[in-house]
Amino acid sequence: MAAVLRALALALGLGSVYAAPTQNGLTAISDWGENPSNLVLQLYEPPKVAAKPAIILALHFCGGTGPVYSEYTKYQPYADAQGFVVLYPSSPKDNNCWDVATTKTLTHEGGGDSNGLANMVKWAIAKYDADPAKVFVTGSSSGCMMTNVMIATYPELFTAASCYSGVAAGCLAGSPGSSPQSADPFCASGQNIKTGAEWASQVRAMYPGYKGAYPRFQTWHGEADNFVNYPNLGEQLKMWSTVMGVPFTENRTDTPTSGYTKIVYGDGTKVVGYSARGVGHMVPVHEEADLKWFGLL
């Protein structure tokens, strides 16, 4: 728990870069393929891997690492029960934040962090003979920002995404960095407001010529988040509801629990949001809700 608290302190800009914690049953992988931005990969492999297992890419917050995020989340018991594999990569630069600002990472096969993460996923699919229809991505804060980027730049790899306290793909485009210490604050402060059509055009420019479907998208945000400000929830929902062509349908209060409002688009199978009353940065991970969204529960 101390490791998690130190990582959360840095996520809020309160500490120095945290070194690697206890490995928490993870296995370090060094030969997963081309690694253009020097990322690190560790994974959780359950005692018995299912035939054609699911793969979850889980992305840490600023100041964190893959092992820290494996402690912060509780996906492993479900992996043990169902036999799926969880990838916990780490970004070693810019205060341990994912690069969500450069042209390289905001471009399909561009040679940035998104490219390296996609290569990890492809390696895992091949290694475990995974079901390509059961590949998912999730993350918190910087990890949610990168989740948005991953489904924009590599939509063919993922079936669904669920993430917490992030921003729309490309919100930080052109910023000098992606961390609280290096980034232009315009995006995180909730001032980067665009129309759905503008966001959708930005997504399509990240993978020119892509004609396939985009992953189902679920995102969570605290109404009291003054670090990655609350308007970023609406911008994510505008982006992905426009990309997928699903209009707003309804709000469902006290769903999935008291104080949360579920924001439904279309029939609720492609895009949903969750607004958390009184919650700041970051929204607690709802593992069961994530796995239900992924179709694993």
Side-chain angles (χ1 to χ4, degrees):
M1 181 59 68
V4 175
L5 293 175
R6 284 194 291 272
L8 289 174
L10 180 57
L12 295 173
L14 302 177
S16 58
V17 174
Y18 177 59
T22 302
Q23 299 308 298
N24 199 26
L26 305 186
T27 301
I29 306 296
S30 60
D31 57 352
W32 45 268
E34 186 178 357
N35 185 7
S37 59
N38 298 313
L39 304 180
V40 176
L41 174 60
Q42 289 167 296
L43 61 81
Y44 184 75
E45 179 182 300
K48 184 176 181 180
V49 178
K52 307 289 287 186
I55 302 289
I56 297 177
L57 177 66
L59 302 171
H60 64 72
F61 34 71
C62 280
T65 63
V68 164
Y69 201 55
S70 76
E71 294 180 15
Y72 181 75
T73 59
K74 298 294 181 287
Y75 294 114
Q76 284 95 321
Y78 297 98
D80 289 345
Q82 298 193 32
F84 61 77
V85 175
V86 188
L87 308 183
Y88 290 104
S90 300
S91 171
K93 56 188 177 300
D94 195 6
N95 296 289
N96 292 53
C97 298
W98 300 103
D99 170 21
V100 293
T102 69
T103 299
K104 285 185 175 182
T105 203
L106 297 175
T107 304
H108 181 79
E109 302 291 344
D113 280 3
S114 63
N115 201 161
L117 292 169
N119 290 344
M120 292 178 188
V121 171
K122 292 173 187 177
W123 168 85
I125 293 171
K127 174 177 173 56
Y128 293 101
D129 190 26
D131 184 344
K134 294 181 179 179
V135 180
F136 310 102
V137 58
T138 187
S140 296
S141 192
S142 178
C144 184
M145 298 178 191
M146 181 53 85
T147 295
N148 276 265
V149 169
M150 291 307 298
I151 63 172
T153 52
Y154 294 91
E156 77 283 8
L157 280 183
F158 303 100
T159 296
S162 179
C163 70
Y164 300 81
S165 310
V167 303
C171 182
L172 270 162
S175 170
S178 299
S179 72
Q181 294 83 356
S182 66
D184 182 332
F186 184 72
C187 169
S189 63
Q191 298 180 73
N192 195 354
I193 306 298
K194 299 184 180 182
T195 66
E198 288 171 332
W199 282 125
S201 177
Q202 192 161 312
V203 167
R204 296 186 181 106
M206 295 182 196
Y207 192 172
Y210 178 70
K211 301 298 184 184
Y214 282 84
R216 295 181 284 108
F217 182 70
Q218 173 176 276
T219 189
W220 308 67
H221 218 104
E223 294 178 13
D225 191 340
N226 294 316
F227 191 66
V228 178
N229 288 22
Y230 183 67
N232 283 298
L233 172 63
E235 298 311 294
Q236 291 175 79
L237 293 173
K238 274 193 283 184
M239 169 178 277
W240 294 111
S241 64
T242 304
V243 167
M244 296 186 220
V246 286
F248 169 76
T249 303
E250 63 175 335
N251 288 330
R252 300 176 188 169
T253 58
D254 294 325
T255 306
T257 189
S258 178
Y260 284 76
T261 297
K262 184 176 183 178
I263 306 165
V264 181
Y265 289 77
D267 62 3
T269 62
K270 291 185 177 181
V271 179
V272 299
Y274 288 95
S275 180
R277 186 175 67 246
V279 176
H281 192 74
M282 299 174 296
V283 175
V285 173
H286 288 62
E287 292 88 355
E288 285 197 12
D290 290 344
L291 295 175
K292 287 177 182 177
W293 181 249
F294 296 160
L296 298 179
L297 283 181

